[in-house]
Amino acid sequence: MTRIVVALVLSLGVLVGWAAPSSARADEELTTRQARALYQDVTCDVGAARTRYNNRVFGPDNWITIAEVRRRLSELRDLAWTMSLAEARAARRLYHAPAAWPAEVVDEIDTVVDYRIRASNVLNQMSGANSAVRFIELGKKANKMGPGRAPDRIRVYLSVPVYPRG
């Protein structure tokens, strides 16, 4: 229950701007180079967290049985909680950039931030799942979510490689 309350406060903090007051001014805009560096940094951090999560949950076979979910449920809930925090941190860093994003990618950044918040919320729900079946249902829901084509459009405009910095 404590995890749910903490995650709810973090999610609301991201939405309201409480987590870290934005220093961006309306007349300042990130250069393409600054925007690229910030976007790469955030996507690399959350990508590394996602890789760790997938490796620990699914292992080298990239799948997991319901019996194993039942056996490892407490560990899997902890991993989901950690991934939830990584998604929330990524959303906060994108939302509270040091200056405004370039006008060409503002809408796409908003889409990605919205996705990261929703993903964080579903992962938080997974961390509170009281059964293996509920954990799997929420995992399927998380897998169906996505930011659409927004990351592709951001990468094209900012000239970010698909797999920056490995």
Side-chain angles (χ1 to χ4, degrees), residues 42-61:
V42 170
T43 55
C44 284
D45 288 349
V46 78
R50 174 69 64 187
T51 300
R52 283 191 304 274
Y53 174 80
N54 288 338
N55 288 343
R56 297 278 309 276
V57 170
F58 301 109
D61 298 331

Side-chain angles (χ1 to χ4, degrees), residues 67-119:
E68 190 172 358
V69 173
R70 283 188 182 112
R71 186 176 58 79
R72 297 175 52 204
L73 186 59
S74 63
E75 175 194 357
L76 296 176
R77 290 189 326 206
D78 290 343
L79 292 170
W81 172 250
T82 304
M83 189 62 213
S84 171
L85 294 176
E87 290 283 6
R89 188 178 313 112
R92 187 178 62 242
R93 289 179 63 198
L94 289 173
Y95 187 75
H96 295 291
W101 287 94
E104 294 81 2
V105 294
V106 167
D107 291 338
E108 285 78 11
I109 292 293
D110 288 344
T111 300
V112 171
V113 167
D114 181 59
Y115 160 71
R116 296 270 179 229
I117 291 169
R118 288 184 293 117

Side-chain angles (χ1 to χ4, degrees), residues 24-29 99-100:
R25 290 183 19 200
D27 57 343
E28 293 178 3
E29 190 174 279

